[in-house]
Structure formats: C-alpha cells, structure tokens
Amino acid sequence: MGNKKNFVLDTNVILHDYNCIKNFEENDIYLPIVVIEELDKFKKGNEQINFNAREFIRELDNITDNSLFTDGAELGEGLGHLFVVAGRKATKQVTDSFPDSIPDHQILGVASYLMEEKPDMQTILVTKDANLRMKARSIGIPCEDYINDKVINTDIFEKSNEVFEDIDPALIDRIYSSKEGVDINEFDFSAVVHPNECFILKSDRSSVLARYNPFTRAIHKVNKGRNYGIEPRNAEQAFAFEVLNDPDIKLVALTGKAGTGKTLLALAAALNNLLNYKQVLLARPIVSLSNKDIGFLPGDAKEKVAPYMQPLFDNLNVIKHQFASNSTEVKRLEDMQKNEQLVIEALAFIRGRSLSETFFIIDEAQNLTPHEIKTIITRAGEGTKMVFTGDIQQIDQPYLDTQSNGLVYMIDRMKDQNLFAHVNLIKGERSQLSELASNLM
C-alpha cells in the first residue's frame, strides 16, 4: 500500500467544502453513517452550509452501486475510494473514554475501528472541530484540520503598507508633477510590488503616497480627497480611497481591526461614485448568537435580520451626520433608500442574484468560507465592483480561523491580479478609547 492513508471525515469538513472528497489524492475516505444523518439536518435553508449539504448528498446519491458500503466506490482517476461505514462498534478504548453515544463519539468510534482493522495503513480523522481533535489525541487517534484552503503566510495582516526608503528625490518630484506617473522600471524596489499595491516612497528630503497601477505600469501619486463628506485621516485610509475610487479595480479587500474605518470608507466611496453604478448594496453574513438560529427571533424575515444589519446603518448615519439634516446630500440618501438604489441586506438574501452595475460591499467577510466568497464573486455582472471588508482577528464562525477564512483565501489567490487591490488598515480612528482597547485588550 506504500504511503496510502485512510481519512475519516467529520460533518463540518463537508459543510465547509462539499467538494472535499476530491482533495485527498489517492487516499481512501471513510464517512461514518452518522455524518450522513447530520448532513440531513442541514439540507433545508438558504445559508452556504445548507447548499453544501444538499450538493454533497446529491453527489453521494449519484454513486449507485453498493460498493460504497463494502469495497468502496471509486472516486476517479488518481483518487482513492469512498466508503460509508455503518453498523461498526467502537473499540473499548473509545466507549470507556467517551460513553455517551453522540455523533462526535461515533465518528471517533469509526476511526478507532479502522485503526484496528487496517493496522498497516495510517488512519487519520479530519475535522475542523478543535474539541474533537483534542478528544481524538487523548486516546491516540491521529487527527488533522482540513487545510486544503488554508493560507500559510498571514504576515501581511499584521503590518501597514510598505515603506520604500532611499528613493531618488528626482523620481519623487516627477511623481508629484506627472499625471501619467513614472514607469515602474525606473525604480529599484527592495521587495516585490503587486498590482495596485499602495506604499510610501521616501528620499532624504521628501516623501509621497504612491500606488503601482498595473494597467499603465507606472507609479502614481495618491491624493487625499474627500468622499461624500468623509476625509481620510491617515495614509492607509487615503490608500483605501485610491483603490475604491478606481473603476478599473473590480475587486477590493479592506482588512483591519475594529475602528479603522473599513466599512465607512467603502460606503463613502460607493456614494461618491454613484454615477458609475445603478445601485449600492451593503450586506453582511448573519452569525447567530449562542448557537441559536435566527428563527427563534420574533417578527418577519426583515425584522429578524435587522439587529444584525444595524452596524451598516450606523455607518450610513455617520455619513449623514457630515451634512445638515435638510441638505441635498441627506435628501439624496433618503431617496436612494426609498427607491432601493441604496440597499442594506443580509447576505443570505443575495444568493442566486446576478448583480450588474452594482457597488457591492460585503462586511464581516472573515466569517465566510472560501467557497462562499467564490460564490459571491461569481455573481458579479458587467460594471460591478465588489468590496470585502473584515478583521481576521474577529472570526465568529467556530470552524474558521485566521488561515482558513474566505477573506484571507481570496487575498492570497487574487494578490497578483490587475483587477484586485488589498489595503490593510492598522491605525484605529473611531476614538482614542477604541484604539486603546484594540491595542491592549
């Protein structure tokens, strides 16, 4: 058998990625029957996990031969076999350590059974549940997180944008004076410069905020302009406005801790560029409180999700307060809301729509899986710009972390694309107290 292994999958792996069984190469995959039972509970609903459960069950249903329960069903060229394990008793070690017959313990039972039945092959439990991994290790069952879509290098989320020093002062002077910018080949940068990357250039006598424009292959000056009453308070916010205002950049990621202005900057830029779009759409995923579904809340669908959308309305109110209550700008915003040109919505309600000529802001994107991010981006029609905002240190989904959430995955995959830009915001601007809490607590 060589190095071929047996992988036992937990339910949460499938709910995270319904195509996961194609990612284990030539190794064999075992599904405890309790996993199928758990998937059945997730079939109904509009969330991504419900979609993933349905798709996986359909895929499983296409495997019609009984080998799925005996010799294993072939998954395709270069892949192993898929087994569904039913009616196998857990080893004494599992029943003694975990006597309660709950799904997690039944999954451990299948893993321990395989370790005894196939001692010549390594058996590994794959789960995104850290508690289950701890239980497995306590009784000697090898276990792993599902890492197919994990990002290795997350250092970029801990630092501000690059500062290049010892730049020729003449080049900086030319950046200030030239509308076309300065060809990138005239610079000798000490690090790789990605498309639409923003940075500070310094010489011994001057400095400039700059961006590399991949379409012109030139370094351009970044201006500190207002957007619908909101003025950038630091270099990072100026960089954010730079990429948000460029119609050639169709996909933007704004990351940073609470209070750095991610959502406010995105909304202000959207309102400032209304002539380019038919609609401004703001959405965020609903992360239920205390593991309760929002169904337990009173009211209709709109009333149930309203508390989750309140932070988006708060940002809209910040912009309104930049103007007098009877001003044209405030009246325009109110009219846009009435005419549904400005819509604040739960992300689940966006599924299945095709969005054309829309400035689409997706807040709290760190709570989305890579597949959810992909599903959203593929909804983009002609003339649409998508902006994902999030703080990777504030993940509310139990099976996502700083390396596996969809926001970091998207940034990692898109960083060399001309249509994409990422700005990481470090300095908090909400208040002195908010910044102090973010840094010390």
Side-chain angles (χ1 to χ4, degrees), residues 33-48:
I33 194 68
V34 68
V35 168
I36 310 299
E37 292 171 356
E38 286 198 300
L39 287 175
D40 194 57
K41 299 173 186 176
F42 286 93
K43 286 190 305 184
K44 295 179 181 178
N46 296 317
E47 297 295 326
Q48 185 66 41

Side-chain angles (χ1 to χ4, degrees), residues 9-173:
L9 301 193
D10 191 3
T11 316
N12 51 58
V13 175
I14 296 162
L15 294 176
H16 179 80
D17 178 6
Y18 70 87
N19 275 320
C20 61
I21 58 174
K22 303 292 176 63
N23 296 325
F24 288 88
E25 300 176 333
E26 76 281 2
N27 303 296
D28 289 339
I29 299 172
Y30 289 80
L31 290 180
I33 194 68
V34 68
V35 168
I36 310 299
E37 292 171 356
E38 286 198 300
L39 287 175
D40 194 57
K41 299 173 186 176
F42 286 93
K43 286 190 305 184
K44 295 179 181 178
N46 296 317
E47 297 295 326
Q48 185 66 41
I49 57 172
N50 308 123
F51 172 82
N52 288 353
R54 291 192 293 268
E55 285 299 301
F56 185 82
I57 290 167
R58 289 189 191 107
E59 184 68 26
L60 210 58
D61 192 46
N62 290 333
I63 304 173
T64 53
D65 59 77
N66 289 328
S67 61
L68 192 62
F69 299 91
T70 53
D71 301 323
E74 293 184 5
L75 289 173
E77 187 177 351
L79 301 175
H81 290 73
L82 177 65
F83 299 80
V84 173
V85 183
R88 296 289 187 270
K89 288 186 178 180
T91 61
K92 187 174 185 301
Q93 185 183 29
V94 172
T95 54
D96 285 350
S97 302
F98 307 109
D100 295 336
S101 183
I102 62 174
D104 279 2
H105 299 165
Q106 292 175 52
I107 292 168
L108 288 175
V110 170
S112 67
Y113 160 78
L114 284 172
M115 288 175 68
E116 286 193 355
E117 287 293 307
K118 299 178 180 290
D120 296 333
M121 292 176 67
Q122 186 179 14
T123 295
I124 300 171
L125 169 64
V126 182
T127 175
K128 299 196 71 61
D129 186 340
N131 284 338
L132 184 54
R133 290 200 296 271
M134 192 170 294
K135 287 182 178 181
R137 292 189 191 105
S138 73
I139 55 174
I141 296 177
C143 55
E144 295 177 359
D145 191 359
Y146 178 69
I147 58 172
N148 184 66
D149 49 15
K150 278 207 171 190
V151 175
I152 303 302
N153 179 22
T154 57
D155 291 347
I156 58 171
F157 302 101
E158 298 174 3
K159 63 180 184 179
S160 185
N161 291 72
E162 198 76 57
V163 176
F164 293 105
E165 298 184 337
D166 300 323
I167 301 296
D168 183 347
L171 288 175
I172 292 181
D173 290 343

Side-chain angles (χ1 to χ4, degrees), residues 209-224:
L209 304 184
R211 168 189 151 215
Y212 169 48
N213 187 324
F215 301 101
T216 61
R217 292 196 54 78
I219 306 296
H220 295 259
K221 178 177 176 288
V222 171
N223 296 306
K224 288 188 174 182

Side-chain angles (χ1 to χ4, degrees), residues 5 18 65 80 103 107 128 162 310 320 354 376 393 423:
K5 301 180 181 71
Y18 70 87
D65 59 77
I107 292 168
K128 299 196 71 61
E162 198 76 57
Q310 190 56 47
K320 284 182 178 179
S354 181
I376 294 165
Q393 300 301 330
V423 175

Side-chain angles (χ1 to χ4, degrees), residues 227-228 264-275 277 280 282 315-316 319-320 323 329 332-333 336 341-342 359 361:
N227 274 337
Y228 220 85
L264 179 64
L265 295 170
L267 178 56
L271 297 174
N272 204 61
N273 289 277
L274 282 175
L275 293 178
Y277 305 96
V280 175
L282 289 88
N315 279 283
L316 182 59
I319 292 175
K320 284 182 178 179
F323 309 99
E329 289 85 358
R332 187 184 187 191
L333 289 177
M336 284 177 65
Q341 287 177 283
L342 173 58
F359 196 113
I361 301 166

Side-chain angles (χ1 to χ4, degrees), residues 133-318:
R133 290 200 296 271
M134 192 170 294
K135 287 182 178 181
R137 292 189 191 105
S138 73
I139 55 174
I141 296 177
C143 55
E144 295 177 359
D145 191 359
Y146 178 69
I147 58 172
N148 184 66
D149 49 15
K150 278 207 171 190
V151 175
I152 303 302
N153 179 22
T154 57
D155 291 347
I156 58 171
F157 302 101
E158 298 174 3
K159 63 180 184 179
S160 185
N161 291 72
E162 198 76 57
V163 176
F164 293 105
E165 298 184 337
D166 300 323
I167 301 296
D168 183 347
L171 288 175
I172 292 181
D173 290 343
R174 285 172 57 198
I175 291 173
Y176 272 107
S177 60
S178 172
K179 288 185 179 180
E180 291 75 29
V182 179
D183 192 291
I184 191 171
N185 292 321
E186 296 193 44
F187 294 82
D188 185 17
F189 289 119
S190 56
V192 174
V193 174
H194 298 288
N196 300 307
E197 185 176 348
C198 297
F199 36 77
I200 299 173
L201 300 180
K202 286 185 174 182
S203 72
D204 56 358
R205 69 183 191 206
S206 62
S207 64
V208 65
L209 304 184
R211 168 189 151 215
Y212 169 48
N213 187 324
F215 301 101
T216 61
R217 292 196 54 78
I219 306 296
H220 295 259
K221 178 177 176 288
V222 171
N223 296 306
K224 288 188 174 182
R226 278 176 175 263
N227 274 337
Y228 220 85
I230 302 297
E231 186 173 354
R233 294 185 177 183
N234 55 52
E236 298 154 8
Q237 291 192 351
F239 292 154
F241 273 164
E242 169 74 13
V243 298
L244 288 166
N245 289 331
D246 189 336
D248 291 328
I249 301 175
K250 303 298 183 184
L251 180 63
V252 174
L254 299 182
T255 55
K257 63 188 178 185
T260 50
K262 305 178 293 293
T263 310
L264 179 64
L265 295 170
L267 178 56
L271 297 174
N272 204 61
N273 289 277
L274 282 175
L275 293 178
N276 298 328
Y277 305 96
K278 287 182 179 176
Q279 185 183 52
V280 175
L281 184 58
L282 289 88
R284 66 193 330 234
I286 293 175
V287 180
S288 299
L289 301 173
S290 304
N291 295 319
K292 291 182 179 179
D293 188 83
I294 64 167
F296 82 99
L297 293 171
D300 59 22
K302 293 280 184 185
E303 291 169 330
K304 286 177 188 291
V305 302
Y308 297 92
M309 300 302 109
Q310 190 56 47
L312 299 180
F313 285 105
D314 291 343
N315 279 283
L316 182 59
N317 288 332
V318 169

